[in-house]
Amino acid sequence: CHIPMQEINELKGLRINPGDYVRPSREELKKLLSEEDYYVTQQSGTERPFQNKYFDHYEKGIYVDKVTGEPLFSSTDKFTSGCGWPAFSKPIEAPAVVNRRDLSHGMDRIEVLRSRRD
């Protein structure tokens, strides 16, 4: 997900409290998310490289968790990695995410996940 720059200015100075972002129930998520989004966010799936919505998206704003809306990354920290998925040099706040080694799909990569996995 992406938030336009004008909304970012309204959020300046706020600290992110992960407890403010609640994960909907499984039933709610099945209604709210597309099949692919559910697969990626709830079943550890992976979008196809170079064929996903945000790999080449560079509009200024904030990238948020698709499930909870929690702010995770700023577009100012997005870079072209050549891997086919969005890449960021750092999260908005370090506690917001965790890194996990992922050896699936025939590659060795670091997956970045929302730290609170309720």
Side-chain angles (χ1 to χ4, degrees):
C1 289
H2 182 268
I3 297 175
M5 202 62 184
Q6 69 235 24
E7 291 183 39
I8 293 173
N9 292 327
E10 295 172 13
L11 299 172
K12 282 186 178 175
L14 296 178
R15 300 298 299 174
I16 298 169
N17 178 0
D20 291 342
Y21 301 92
V22 180
R23 182 182 176 279
S25 70
R26 183 179 311 200
E27 295 76 28
E28 289 175 283
L29 288 173
K30 285 186 176 185
K31 293 176 189 174
L32 295 170
L33 300 173
S34 69
E35 266 188 53
E36 181 179 42
D37 288 342
Y38 189 87
Y39 169 67
V40 170
T41 64
Q42 304 305 300
Q43 299 173 318
S44 298
T46 299
E47 299 163 309
R48 295 179 58 92
F50 304 103
Q51 297 177 23
N52 56 76
K53 186 174 181 178
Y54 293 107
F55 95 92
D56 66 350
H57 181 92
Y58 289 94
E59 184 178 335
K60 292 181 181 180
I62 294 177
Y63 291 79
V64 302
D65 182 283
K66 181 105 181 167
V67 172
T68 66
E70 180 180 354
L72 299 175
F73 302 100
S74 169
S75 60
T76 59
D77 299 313
K78 192 168 193 285
F79 67 95
T80 302
S81 66
C83 68
W85 293 285
F88 301 88
S89 59
K90 65 180 182 179
I92 287 179
E93 290 186 1
V97 299
V98 294
N99 295 333
R100 183 177 75 183
R101 188 174 184 195
D102 180 3
L103 300 174
S104 65
H105 306 286
M107 62 187 92
D108 187 354
R109 63 186 181 164
I110 300 298
E111 183 176 24
V112 181
L113 302 166
R114 177 178 176 252
S115 62
R116 186 164 172 195
R117 310 287 294 172
D118 29 6

Short mmCIF file of all heavy atoms in Angstrom, two decimals, residues 74-101:
data_model
loop_
_atom_site.label_atom_id
_atom_site.label_comp_id
_atom_site.label_asym_id
_atom_site.label_seq_id
_atom_site.Cartn_x
_atom_site.Cartn_y
_atom_site.Cartn_z
N SER A 74 9.41 4.51 3.97
CA SER A 74 9.22 5.76 3.25
C SER A 74 9.74 5.60 1.84
O SER A 74 10.76 4.93 1.61
CB SER A 74 9.98 6.87 3.97
OG SER A 74 10.02 8.02 3.15
N SER A 75 9.09 6.27 0.91
CA SER A 75 9.57 6.23 -0.48
C SER A 75 10.97 6.84 -0.60
O SER A 75 11.70 6.51 -1.53
CB SER A 75 8.60 6.97 -1.40
OG SER A 75 8.48 8.32 -1.01
N THR A 76 11.36 7.69 0.34
CA THR A 76 12.71 8.28 0.28
C THR A 76 13.79 7.24 0.53
O THR A 76 14.95 7.48 0.20
CB THR A 76 12.86 9.44 1.30
OG1 THR A 76 12.62 8.93 2.61
CG2 THR A 76 11.89 10.56 0.99
N ASP A 77 13.43 6.09 1.08
CA ASP A 77 14.39 5.02 1.36
C ASP A 77 14.26 3.86 0.37
O ASP A 77 14.87 2.81 0.56
CB ASP A 77 14.20 4.51 2.79
CG ASP A 77 14.45 5.58 3.81
OD1 ASP A 77 15.46 6.29 3.67
OD2 ASP A 77 13.61 5.75 4.72
N LYS A 78 13.49 4.04 -0.69
CA LYS A 78 13.31 3.00 -1.70
C LYS A 78 14.43 3.09 -2.73
O LYS A 78 14.88 4.18 -3.08
CB LYS A 78 11.96 3.18 -2.41
CG LYS A 78 11.56 2.00 -3.28
CD LYS A 78 10.10 2.16 -3.69
CE LYS A 78 9.54 0.90 -4.27
NZ LYS A 78 9.95 0.59 -5.60
N PHE A 79 14.93 1.95 -3.17
CA PHE A 79 15.98 1.94 -4.19
C PHE A 79 15.76 0.80 -5.17
O PHE A 79 15.01 -0.14 -4.89
CB PHE A 79 17.38 1.85 -3.55
CG PHE A 79 17.65 0.54 -2.85
CD1 PHE A 79 18.32 -0.48 -3.52
CD2 PHE A 79 17.27 0.33 -1.53
CE1 PHE A 79 18.59 -1.69 -2.88
CE2 PHE A 79 17.53 -0.87 -0.89
CZ PHE A 79 18.20 -1.88 -1.57
N THR A 80 16.40 0.90 -6.31
CA THR A 80 16.31 -0.14 -7.33
C THR A 80 17.35 -1.20 -7.03
O THR A 80 18.55 -0.95 -7.09
CB THR A 80 16.55 0.46 -8.73
OG1 THR A 80 15.59 1.49 -8.95
CG2 THR A 80 16.43 -0.61 -9.80
N SER A 81 16.88 -2.40 -6.71
CA SER A 81 17.79 -3.48 -6.35
C SER A 81 18.05 -4.42 -7.51
O SER A 81 18.99 -5.20 -7.48
CB SER A 81 17.21 -4.28 -5.18
OG SER A 81 16.03 -4.93 -5.60
N GLY A 82 17.17 -4.38 -8.52
CA GLY A 82 17.31 -5.27 -9.65
C GLY A 82 16.73 -6.65 -9.42
O GLY A 82 16.80 -7.52 -10.29
N CYS A 83 16.13 -6.88 -8.25
CA CYS A 83 15.61 -8.20 -7.92
C CYS A 83 14.16 -8.41 -8.36
O CYS A 83 13.68 -9.53 -8.38
CB CYS A 83 15.74 -8.47 -6.42
SG CYS A 83 14.66 -7.45 -5.39
N GLY A 84 13.44 -7.32 -8.68
CA GLY A 84 12.06 -7.46 -9.12
C GLY A 84 11.04 -7.24 -8.04
O GLY A 84 9.84 -7.34 -8.28
N TRP A 85 11.48 -6.98 -6.82
CA TRP A 85 10.58 -6.66 -5.71
C TRP A 85 10.98 -5.32 -5.13
O TRP A 85 12.13 -4.89 -5.27
CB TRP A 85 10.66 -7.73 -4.62
CG TRP A 85 10.13 -9.06 -5.06
CD1 TRP A 85 8.82 -9.42 -5.22
CD2 TRP A 85 10.91 -10.21 -5.39
NE1 TRP A 85 8.74 -10.73 -5.64
CE2 TRP A 85 10.01 -11.24 -5.74
CE3 TRP A 85 12.26 -10.49 -5.43
CZ2 TRP A 85 10.41 -12.50 -6.12
CZ3 TRP A 85 12.67 -11.76 -5.80
CH2 TRP A 85 11.75 -12.75 -6.15
N PRO A 86 10.07 -4.63 -4.45
CA PRO A 86 10.44 -3.36 -3.85
C PRO A 86 11.57 -3.56 -2.84
O PRO A 86 11.62 -4.57 -2.14
CB PRO A 86 9.17 -2.90 -3.12
CG PRO A 86 8.09 -3.81 -3.53
CD PRO A 86 8.69 -5.01 -4.17
N ALA A 87 12.49 -2.59 -2.77
CA ALA A 87 13.61 -2.67 -1.84
C ALA A 87 13.77 -1.33 -1.14
O ALA A 87 13.63 -0.27 -1.76
CB ALA A 87 14.89 -3.03 -2.59
N PHE A 88 14.06 -1.38 0.15
CA PHE A 88 14.20 -0.18 0.96
C PHE A 88 15.48 -0.29 1.77
O PHE A 88 15.85 -1.37 2.24
CB PHE A 88 13.00 -0.03 1.91
CG PHE A 88 11.69 0.06 1.19
CD1 PHE A 88 10.98 -1.08 0.85
CD2 PHE A 88 11.17 1.29 0.83
CE1 PHE A 88 9.77 -1.00 0.17
CE2 PHE A 88 9.96 1.39 0.15
CZ PHE A 88 9.27 0.24 -0.18
N SER A 89 16.16 0.85 1.97
CA SER A 89 17.41 0.85 2.72
C SER A 89 17.19 0.77 4.22
O SER A 89 18.08 0.34 4.96
CB SER A 89 18.25 2.08 2.38
OG SER A 89 17.53 3.26 2.69
N LYS A 90 16.00 1.17 4.69
CA LYS A 90 15.69 1.11 6.12
C LYS A 90 14.19 1.29 6.33
O LYS A 90 13.50 1.85 5.47
CB LYS A 90 16.46 2.19 6.89
CG LYS A 90 16.03 3.60 6.50
CD LYS A 90 16.82 4.64 7.28
CE LYS A 90 16.30 6.02 6.89
NZ LYS A 90 16.96 7.08 7.57
N PRO A 91 13.68 0.81 7.46
CA PRO A 91 12.27 1.04 7.78
C PRO A 91 12.07 2.44 8.35
O PRO A 91 13.04 3.12 8.70
CB PRO A 91 11.98 -0.02 8.85
CG PRO A 91 13.29 -0.22 9.52
CD PRO A 91 14.34 -0.04 8.44
N ILE A 92 10.83 2.86 8.45
CA ILE A 92 10.53 4.15 9.08
C ILE A 92 11.04 4.15 10.51
O ILE A 92 11.65 5.11 10.95
CB ILE A 92 9.02 4.45 9.03
CG1 ILE A 92 8.63 4.81 7.59
CG2 ILE A 92 8.63 5.55 9.99
CD1 ILE A 92 7.17 5.09 7.39
N GLU A 93 10.78 3.09 11.24
CA GLU A 93 11.30 2.90 12.60
C GLU A 93 11.79 1.47 12.70
O GLU A 93 11.07 0.54 12.33
CB GLU A 93 10.23 3.17 13.65
CG GLU A 93 9.84 4.63 13.76
CD GLU A 93 8.89 4.89 14.92
OE1 GLU A 93 8.53 3.96 15.66
OE2 GLU A 93 8.49 6.05 15.06
N ALA A 94 12.99 1.29 13.21
CA ALA A 94 13.61 -0.03 13.27
C ALA A 94 12.73 -1.10 13.92
O ALA A 94 12.66 -2.22 13.42
CB ALA A 94 14.96 0.05 13.97
N PRO A 95 12.04 -0.81 15.03
CA PRO A 95 11.23 -1.86 15.65
C PRO A 95 10.04 -2.32 14.81
O PRO A 95 9.41 -3.32 15.13
CB PRO A 95 10.74 -1.22 16.95
CG PRO A 95 11.61 -0.06 17.19
CD PRO A 95 12.07 0.40 15.84
N ALA A 96 9.71 -1.61 13.75
CA ALA A 96 8.53 -1.95 12.96
C ALA A 96 8.69 -3.23 12.15
O ALA A 96 7.71 -3.87 11.80
CB ALA A 96 8.18 -0.79 12.03
N VAL A 97 9.93 -3.61 11.84
CA VAL A 97 10.16 -4.77 10.98
C VAL A 97 11.23 -5.70 11.56
O VAL A 97 12.04 -5.29 12.39
CB VAL A 97 10.57 -4.35 9.55
CG1 VAL A 97 9.48 -3.52 8.89
CG2 VAL A 97 11.88 -3.62 9.55
N VAL A 98 11.21 -6.93 11.08
CA VAL A 98 12.26 -7.91 11.37
C VAL A 98 12.74 -8.50 10.05
O VAL A 98 11.97 -8.57 9.08
CB VAL A 98 11.78 -9.03 12.32
CG1 VAL A 98 11.45 -8.49 13.69
CG2 VAL A 98 10.59 -9.77 11.74
N ASN A 99 13.97 -8.91 10.01
CA ASN A 99 14.54 -9.56 8.83
C ASN A 99 14.56 -11.06 9.05
O ASN A 99 14.88 -11.53 10.15
CB ASN A 99 15.96 -9.07 8.56
CG ASN A 99 16.00 -7.61 8.21
OD1 ASN A 99 15.04 -7.05 7.70
ND2 ASN A 99 17.11 -6.97 8.50
N ARG A 100 14.25 -11.81 7.99
CA ARG A 100 14.27 -13.26 8.08
C ARG A 100 14.93 -13.81 6.82
O ARG A 100 14.57 -13.42 5.70
CB ARG A 100 12.84 -13.80 8.20
CG ARG A 100 12.80 -15.32 8.35
CD ARG A 100 11.40 -15.82 8.54
NE ARG A 100 10.72 -15.76 7.24
CZ ARG A 100 9.46 -16.08 7.06
NH1 ARG A 100 8.71 -16.42 8.06
NH2 ARG A 100 8.92 -16.02 5.86
N ARG A 101 15.88 -14.70 6.99
CA ARG A 101 16.52 -15.34 5.84
C ARG A 101 15.50 -16.24 5.16
O ARG A 101 14.78 -16.99 5.81
CB ARG A 101 17.72 -16.15 6.31
CG ARG A 101 18.54 -16.68 5.18
CD ARG A 101 19.78 -17.35 5.69
NE ARG A 101 20.62 -17.78 4.58
CZ ARG A 101 21.60 -18.63 4.70
NH1 ARG A 101 21.90 -19.13 5.89
NH2 ARG A 101 22.29 -18.98 3.65
#
